[in-house]
Amino acid sequence: MHYNPEEIEPKWREKWGKTHLYRVDNTTEKPKFYVLDMFPYPSGAGLHVGHPLGYIASDIFARYKRLKGFNVLHPMGYDAFGLPAEQYAIQTGVHPAKSTDENIHRYRQQLDQIGFSFDWSRQVKTSDPAYYKWTQWIFLKLFGHYYDLSAQKAVPITSLVNLFAEQGNAQIPAVTTQTIVFSAGEWNAMSSLEKEEVLMNYRLAYRKTGHVNWCEALGTVLANDEVKDGLSERGGHPVEKKAMMQWSLRITAYAERLLQDLETLEWSDALKAMQKNWIGRSEGAQLFFDLENTEKKIEIFTTRPDTIFGATFMVLAPEHALVKSLTHPDYQTEINAYIEYAASRSDVDRMAETKEVTGAFTGNYAIHPFSGKRIPIWIGEYVLNEYGTGAIMAVPSDDDRDHAFAQKFGLEIIPVVDKSAYPGASAHDKKGILQHSDFLDGLEVKEAIQKMIQIIEERKFGKRKVNYKLRDANFSRQRYWGEPFPIRYDQEGVPYPLAEAELPLTLPDLENFQPASGGKSPVARAEEWVNQFPGFELETDTMPGFAGSSWYFLRYMDATNPDAFVSQEAVNYWKDVDLYVGGTEHAVGHLMYARFWHKFLFDLGLVPGVEPFQKLINQGMITAYGYYAENLRFQKDGQETVFIGNAVDLDSASNNLIGYAFVGTGSPIRLAYVYDYLDAQNRLSKSQFTAYYEAKGKDFYVAGDVNKYLWATDQNGEEYLTVNVVQEKMSKSKFNVQNPDEVVDKYGADCFRMYEMFLGPIEQSKPWDTKGIDGVNRFLRKYWSLFFEGHSWSITQDVPTQEEWKVLHQTIRKVTDDIERFSFNTCISAFMMCVNELKRLECHKQAILQPLTVLLAPFAPFITEELWERMGHGSSIHLVSYPVFDAGYLVTDEVEVPVCINGKKRDVITVPANATQQEIEALAQASEAVQRHLEGKVLQKLIVVPGRMINLVVRE
RNA sequence: GCCGAAGUGGUGGAAUUGGUAGACACGCUGGACUCAAAAUCCAGUGCUAGCAAUAGUGUGCGGGUUCGAGUCCCGCCUUCGGUACCA
């Protein structure tokens, strides 16, 4: 019998599906374990080989935990709202719901093929009204709450309204953007519109006009984490700042808790650091500067209050609210021109020329709170309106940017920190002795900061303050394919939440998906839908992608519940995710929002814990080799071709590398066969390759390091192209997507699963190639062959030998330890060693092979199920118990110990396991190799590390 | 710039607490089987010298601690990821 995955895999796939083998119950005596994958966006390209990497790892772990006796929740679903489906709809007219469902269908086929143990009865789809009903419901909860600073939690907005009516807002400890103080009487006199405007400054989901990231090409605004280097993450289109009325989430209210609770999580330090940086906590002081000509004050934030005597000017962001009123009439023209200039610049422009210093003088002065000196007020784009207060005191002596500004505009520089005691310290290092600073003179920077804050508070110039880089999250998208806001506006524009009974508010059906005019969503064209509530208009923006993904893991616990987003019973049983596996690309987006929503739901008493994901593993990316040519000069059909990119693949038939060239913007043409080039010694010593350019029928000789670059020359040695090799993401637009289907078709799912694990550590990024897959394939065939003698079943009931037991239990220990530390690649090599040994021992004993098969079942579910059945079992191997390790089988009479002279290994001796220190020393010295090295030398010291090694220290 | 991760044979990688560097696999070399090929099996394979035993050398570079360093410390270099006029 030969191992034939094409036969056994479909058989079990069907059987598992029919028997609902992986269905999991919420009510059981077993301990729970929740293993979660980041659910995919179902793109048109299908799953590529990178997706399953994490899914396979988590599936192995889920299956392992199941065998260990846990009730394991291991679900899967689809993050089905999003831009690509809508962009596709704009181009083709195909409704996003339709294309999304088609893609989901394909994903499901691909996932099933690989043999994942998902409980599909719990599938979620974020674009399903039965799902997004609850996304809307949570949004309304956010809308209906504010953050109470004294209770450190979210509190219903109705209690705030009561407080306002009784005492106004002056004494209320809340996270707010409200700046105007009002009394109870003033509150009670307000119109409902005015009241709502005030409440918007408190709600956790609120509307405000702000300078947002507008992406013209996508016709929508984007959140900060959706913008990378001034370009949209999706599509790479330019992004500019635009003032718009938008929904936002007050995530900043949770900044401190999001930061503090990071400590409790088993996440990588790298990931925690990313979140910390994104939150960006900094301690300092808030300070008010009086103005010369008006009653108004400028509020600033600084982390360096000690340097205040070096503050020789102030800079406001061009968008700062006070700029207009404090500008001196004589300078109005320049200021206006500068504001216009700053507004015209996109983020990309700003980043492209960060060194250029620009700014303009307002003609007005502030009064230094300590020295009483007049200090000029400037505006400059290096001060960001969104961070801190949008205004700074500039200390050119101790801040590089302020220094550059002062130099350019000829402003005064007072050196206030003497750094002579700290050579090499840069301007922003908090080191040195204060000088020219009145009462701070002689103090160390750190002392001076503390003293200054104290004085600032005493004299009521300001107070100690903690500032965060984290901004509130923009929550509006001017797109069709997202959750509608359950909000309607009356004629005055006052927003009202829909009643719970009116949820879900479903998306209207559209035929035209082009954005509507004036930066509006296509939804605005569905007039009937917009006006379905007489006297009201519905919000036409939709929610962003992270809305549905911020709580989906809770829905899996109780996926079909029509009465609650999750029942209390279910959430109290499953609690939180024990293991979450996914890519780093969600480090600050999804993972931050999900934590925020979870804390909010915790405040409302709806979930039992404060953190959703206890342990998190980031699987590395599987990249593709990208080949980019620099100087390709060839013609095709008489036309000059443009080489815009190149993907390289292994030709499965010939095992040769194949390159593809892209001609113009059209489809790729096949460029070359690149096959192994052997040097004179017939060795592949320098990874050289020869290429043949098919389209022209001309030979090219390509050489170079395949991991870095290649170049090609023709027979005459004339250089044709230099190809730089990069590792890049797999994407449809780069023609480098490798689908798992092909691999599974050829080698089977078990082989594919094990090969992906064998590639290397799960957290590491690695390029995809199938070079080593034959090794895994051979392993599976060898393992299978242990059960057969020629064509006949050869399993015996003989009692195993000591050696056979040892091989088995060594493997049990190694594999179990390695699964626990998520080192799956070394598990595979342990299996290989085990099978190699058993093959050598010609072991066909059920007592050995049966536990080994259970051990292997999480990795290769099909082949193990098949052999399990052939061993005479009626029920599935995936429901049995994990083999128990018995250290007794590993005890040996003798151990091999290396003997080193001065740390260099010279011999390996065999000593009895129970030998004494003296006996070991004697045996070591008796060794012939040791004798030889001891000749004419003096033994100084002898170190015995029991069971490890012996080291003899020797001198001439 | 700042923060984080990494650098080991021709290749992917292993070495879990400072204790035999290169497990396991790919590739390659030689051999067996075959008319031949594939598949399979056996042997070899870090580099240098040597027929060999063996010796020297070897984990990005330069120092250090230690009986002993891929692992710890100091100073660099390179690559990747994140982030940035963040006051």
Side-chain angles (χ1 to χ4, degrees):
Chain A
M1 272 303 291
H2 290 293
Y3 167 53
N4 188 358
E6 279 168 57
E7 239 168 66
I8 61 177
E9 291 186 0
K11 170 182 151 190
W12 290 110
R13 212 170 273 137
E14 200 196 328
K15 205 157 187 176
W16 294 338
K18 269 190 189 154
T19 56
H20 306 292
L21 184 66
Y22 303 117
R23 194 164 276 184
V24 57
D25 217 349
N26 283 0
T27 50
T28 161
E29 294 297 295
K30 290 182 190 175
K32 71 98 186 184
F33 201 88
Y34 188 175
V35 181
L36 180 69
D37 293 295
M38 288 185 184
F39 64 168
Y41 174 79
S43 87
L47 281 179
H48 62 65
V49 293
H51 288 112
L53 186 71
Y55 301 163
I56 294 167
S58 61
D59 193 58
I60 289 168
F61 205 81
R63 287 171 178 276
Y64 164 74
K65 279 288 178 182
R66 228 176 262 134
L67 295 176
K68 278 275 196 180
F70 288 84
N71 189 36
V72 177
L73 177 55
H74 186 42
M76 183 47 78
Y78 304 97
D79 191 14
F81 274 134
L83 285 175
E86 189 167 348
Q87 294 294 85
Y88 183 72
I90 290 171
Q91 285 158 23
T92 63
V94 176
H95 197 285
K98 186 164 179 282
S99 61
T100 300
D101 281 346
E102 283 166 5
N103 293 344
I104 284 176
H105 182 71
R106 171 145 160 73
Y107 268 60
R108 176 64 191 274
Q109 279 183 323
Q110 288 183 304
L111 291 169
D112 280 346
Q113 203 191 15
I114 301 167
F116 293 118
S117 61
F118 297 128
D119 177 357
W120 284 107
S121 71
R122 292 168 182 265
Q123 174 187 312
V124 303
K125 179 171 95 172
T126 54
S127 61
D128 183 345
Y131 178 88
Y132 69 68
K133 168 181 177 175
W134 299 107
T135 309
Q136 292 172 334
W137 183 84
I138 297 170
F139 170 80
L140 288 182
K141 293 286 173 208
L142 286 161
F143 179 76
H145 285 76
Y146 76 104
Y147 199 84
D148 182 334
L149 278 169
S150 55
Q152 274 299 322
K153 62 182 276 197
V155 168
I157 200 93
T158 45
S159 34
L160 187 68
V161 171
N162 293 337
L163 287 169
F164 286 166
E166 288 162 21
Q167 58 176 89
N169 72 341
Q171 301 301 321
I172 293 175
V175 175
T176 179
T177 34
Q178 175 76 16
T179 48
I180 299 164
V181 176
F182 52 81
S183 66
E186 284 167 322
W187 169 261
N188 292 325
M190 285 183 201
S191 71
S192 56
L193 182 61
E194 287 166 333
K195 280 182 178 168
E196 188 48 51
E197 275 168 5
V198 170
L199 290 177
M200 279 296 183
N201 287 319
Y202 289 87
R203 296 182 186 277
L204 290 174
Y206 64 100
R207 237 160 60 110
K208 68 161 183 197
T209 302
H211 293 88
V212 296
N213 306 307
W214 172 255
C215 179
E216 184 64 37
L218 294 173
T220 185
V221 299
L222 299 168
N224 290 329
D225 58 278
E226 293 170 315
V227 181
K228 293 252 142 71
D229 302 326
L231 300 172
S232 69
E233 198 178 25
R234 290 249 183 223
H237 305 292
V239 171
E240 56 194 300
K241 292 280 177 217
K242 193 172 175 180
M244 287 176 79
M245 177 72 116
Q246 298 279 295
W247 284 97
S248 285
L249 299 187
R250 206 177 299 280
I251 188 171
T252 48
Y254 285 83
E256 191 60 36
R257 283 166 67 185
L258 288 168
L259 185 66
Q260 293 299 326
D261 292 345
L262 270 180
E263 301 303 325
T264 68
L265 300 176
E266 293 170 66
W267 293 13
S268 70
D269 290 340
L271 188 58
K272 286 187 189 176
M274 271 190 235
Q275 291 225 337
K276 269 183 210 159
N277 290 342
W278 192 261
I279 295 168
R281 184 184 202 272
S282 58
E283 282 180 27
Q286 170 199 50
L287 246 172
F288 291 92
F289 278 68
D290 289 326
L291 297 183
E292 193 174 51
N293 297 323
T294 71
E295 288 292 290
K296 289 185 178 136
K297 291 166 186 254
I298 296 178
E299 182 189 350
I300 61 119
F301 171 76
T302 178
T303 55
R304 295 296 303 274
D306 57 311
T307 62
I308 194 165
F309 289 98
T312 50
F313 59 101
M314 300 191 81
V315 186
L316 308 189
E319 303 87 6
H320 194 280
L322 286 178
V323 171
K324 221 176 228 173
S325 60
L326 62 72
T327 298
H328 190 279
D330 294 350
Y331 293 86
Q332 198 67 55
T333 324
E334 284 97 325
I335 289 292
N336 286 349
Y338 186 76
I339 291 172
E340 202 174 306
Y341 156 81
S344 73
R345 279 159 62 75
S346 69
D347 288 358
V348 189
D349 295 337
R350 283 195 178 201
M351 286 172 190
E353 0 162 329
T354 51
K355 283 184 194 100
E356 201 192 328
V357 178
T358 64
F361 181 43
T362 62
N364 208 335
Y365 293 84
I367 307 299
H368 193 288
F370 290 95
S371 69
K373 280 203 235 173
R374 296 170 83 224
I375 55 177
I377 301 168
W378 287 66
I379 64 172
E381 64 174 340
Y382 83 95
V383 175
L384 305 175
N385 198 37
E386 300 84 30
Y387 181 74
T389 60
I392 61 158
M393 67 173 199
V395 183
S397 62
D398 286 274
D399 183 289
D400 294 335
R401 296 151 304 169
D402 296 346
H403 190 87
F405 198 87
Q407 292 232 299
K408 166 131 185 185
F409 297 108
L411 297 159
E412 190 188 3
I413 299 171
I414 306 172
V416 285
V417 181
D418 176 8
K419 280 191 154 60
S420 53
Y422 300 94
S426 64
H428 61 266
D429 288 333
K430 288 179 183 170
K431 286 175 180 170
I433 309 286
L434 271 292
Q435 58 181 2
H436 308 302
S437 293
D438 200 337
F439 51 84
L440 295 178
D441 281 354
L443 288 176
E444 258 292 330
V445 166
K446 286 192 176 149
E447 302 165 331
I449 291 174
Q450 293 313 315
K451 180 165 183 187
M452 197 63 196
I453 292 176
Q454 197 191 329
I455 292 172
I456 287 168
E457 290 189 332
E458 277 167 19
R459 301 197 191 171
K460 302 213 182 318
F461 292 153
K463 60 185 177 199
R464 182 182 299 274
K465 196 179 174 189
V466 174
N467 206 34
Y468 301 92
K469 271 197 277 188
L470 184 71
R471 320 270 163 81
D472 281 347
N474 187 297
F475 204 63
S476 292
R477 297 292 178 276
Q478 291 67 45
R479 302 295 302 218
Y480 169 70
W481 194 230
E483 299 87 348
F485 284 86
I487 293 284
R488 58 191 160 209
Y489 302 95
D490 69 11
Q491 268 113 359
E492 288 179 73
V494 180
Y496 293 93
L498 266 60
E500 195 174 327
E502 289 169 316
L503 301 182
L505 174 64
T506 54
L507 267 175
D509 251 330
L510 290 189
E511 276 169 26
N512 178 2
F513 302 97
Q514 300 291 337
S517 59
K520 281 203 162 186
S521 144
V523 174
R525 264 200 298 272
E527 282 177 32
E528 227 175 89
W529 182 88
V530 173
N531 298 302
Q532 63 182 287
F533 298 102
F536 294 91
E537 273 192 15
L538 282 172
E539 169 68 61
T540 58
D541 284 353
T542 53
M543 298 185 198
F546 65 82
S549 61
S550 291
W551 71 282
Y552 75 108
F553 50 93
L554 293 168
R555 188 64 179 170
Y556 286 136
M557 297 174 181
D558 194 12
T560 54
N561 191 335
D563 304 317
F565 72 103
V566 60
S567 72
Q568 285 303 295
E569 196 189 2
V571 78
N572 284 320
Y573 175 70
W574 292 110
K575 293 188 175 69
D576 54 11
V577 176
D578 296 283
L579 174 65
Y580 196 17
V581 180
T584 355
E585 65 270 25
H586 299 109
V588 286
H590 160 61
L591 287 174
M592 192 75 84
Y593 296 122
R595 294 180 63 218
F596 159 45
W597 281 40
H598 204 75
K599 287 178 189 306
F600 170 70
L601 292 171
F602 172 80
D603 286 354
L604 270 54
L606 297 171
V607 297
V610 293
E611 283 289 339
F613 316 122
Q614 271 313 310
K615 163 92 187 165
L616 187 137
I617 296 215
N618 281 126
Q619 95 262 22
M621 237 189 337
I622 290 196
T623 53
Y625 283 122
Y627 282 37
Y628 290 93
E630 267 170 14
N631 52 348
L632 185 63
R633 293 179 278 121
F634 68 85
Q635 297 198 321
K636 189 192 174 228
D637 305 331
Q639 272 192 315
E640 189 77 12
T641 60
V642 184
F643 190 101
I644 58 164
N646 193 321
V648 160
D649 187 15
L650 263 185
D651 180 355
S652 44
S654 64
N655 221 30
N656 289 333
L657 291 167
I658 308 163
Y660 297 95
F662 301 102
V663 179
T665 53
S667 54
I669 59 153
R670 190 170 226 202
L671 170 72
Y673 277 119
V674 187
Y675 50 87
D676 291 350
Y677 175 80
L678 307 178
D679 64 19
Q681 282 86 46
N682 270 336
R683 258 198 321 231
L684 195 73
S685 58
K686 287 220 183 293
S687 297
Q688 290 175 309
F689 295 85
T690 304
Y692 172 70
Y693 172 43
E694 231 184 8
K696 266 195 114 177
K698 186 170 183 178
D699 284 325
F700 280 80
Y701 297 94
V702 178
D705 181 344
V706 74
N707 292 318
K708 289 175 187 139
Y709 61 90
L710 296 168
W711 69 88
T713 54
D714 66 10
Q715 291 107 320
N716 305 321
E718 195 185 342
E719 190 160 299
Y720 269 74
L721 71 157
T722 304
V723 186
N724 294 308
V725 183
V726 295
Q727 284 178 28
E728 56 191 9
K729 266 188 181 171
M730 285 187 187
S731 82
K732 214 176 173 181
S733 61
K734 288 182 177 135
F735 299 98
N736 62 2
V737 174
Q738 306 280 319
N739 291 113
D741 315 40
E742 222 181 290
V743 185
V744 174
D745 283 346
K746 190 171 173 199
Y747 295 96
D750 286 334
C751 186
F752 175 72
R753 290 169 64 105
M754 293 192 79
Y755 182 59
E756 287 234 339
M757 292 299 99
F758 192 55
L759 278 174
I762 187 76
E763 304 210 61
Q764 195 170 302
S765 283
K766 49 225 151 201
W768 175 255
D769 70 63
T770 51
K771 269 195 289 182
I773 200 164
D774 283 328
V776 174
N777 192 32
R778 262 172 226 153
F779 158 77
L780 284 168
R781 290 205 304 255
K782 209 186 265 188
Y783 161 68
W784 176 269
S785 76
L786 289 172
F787 294 76
F788 296 90
E789 196 82 68
H791 283 279
S792 52
W793 183 251
S794 68
I795 288 301
T796 72
Q797 302 305 320
D798 297 348
V799 177
T801 65
Q802 192 63 30
E803 196 174 7
E804 288 165 339
W805 281 122
K806 190 178 168 187
V807 169
L808 172 69
H809 282 269
Q810 268 175 343
T811 308
I812 294 175
R813 181 173 66 180
K814 175 74 177 155
V815 169
T816 310
D817 285 357
D818 286 0
I819 291 177
E820 291 282 356
R821 64 190 183 100
F822 306 101
S823 176
F824 301 107
N825 55 327
T826 53
C827 288
I828 311 288
S829 65
F831 281 121
M832 286 172 168
M833 280 193 269
C834 178
V835 166
N836 287 345
E837 280 295 294
L838 294 178
K839 190 80 188 170
R840 185 178 63 81
L841 296 169
E842 294 177 17
C843 175
H844 299 289
K845 295 165 186 168
Q846 182 150 0
I848 298 293
L849 295 180
Q850 183 162 307
L852 173 64
T853 300
V854 178
L855 205 61
L856 185 61
F859 295 83
F862 294 97
I863 188 173
T864 50
E865 183 80 305
E866 175 71 20
L867 290 168
W868 184 255
E869 187 189 50
R870 284 170 187 257
M871 277 188 275
H873 299 283
S875 63
S876 174
I877 190 173
H878 303 299
L879 304 173
V880 302
S881 289
Y882 198 75
V884 178
F885 169 64
D886 183 346
Y889 289 110
L890 302 191
V891 175
T892 47
D893 301 342
E894 295 182 320
V895 283
E896 292 199 329
V897 186
V899 184
C900 304
I901 313 279
N902 290 343
K904 194 131 205 86
K905 188 178 81 175
R906 296 299 178 185
D907 199 9
V908 178
I909 58 169
T910 307
V911 300
N914 56 1
T916 63
Q917 179 95 6
Q918 285 79 10
E919 285 166 345
I920 295 171
E921 286 180 11
L923 282 166
Q925 290 185 63
S927 148
E928 199 190 311
V930 170
Q931 291 290 322
R932 200 157 19 107
H933 282 91
L934 279 178
E935 249 168 69
K937 289 168 187 170
V938 187
L939 178 64
Q940 288 212 307
K941 205 170 172 186
L942 208 158
I943 294 149
V944 177
V945 184
R948 281 288 195 181
M949 52 93 63
I950 300 158
N951 193 19
L952 289 82
V953 185
V954 156
R955 227 177 42 181
E956 291 291 337

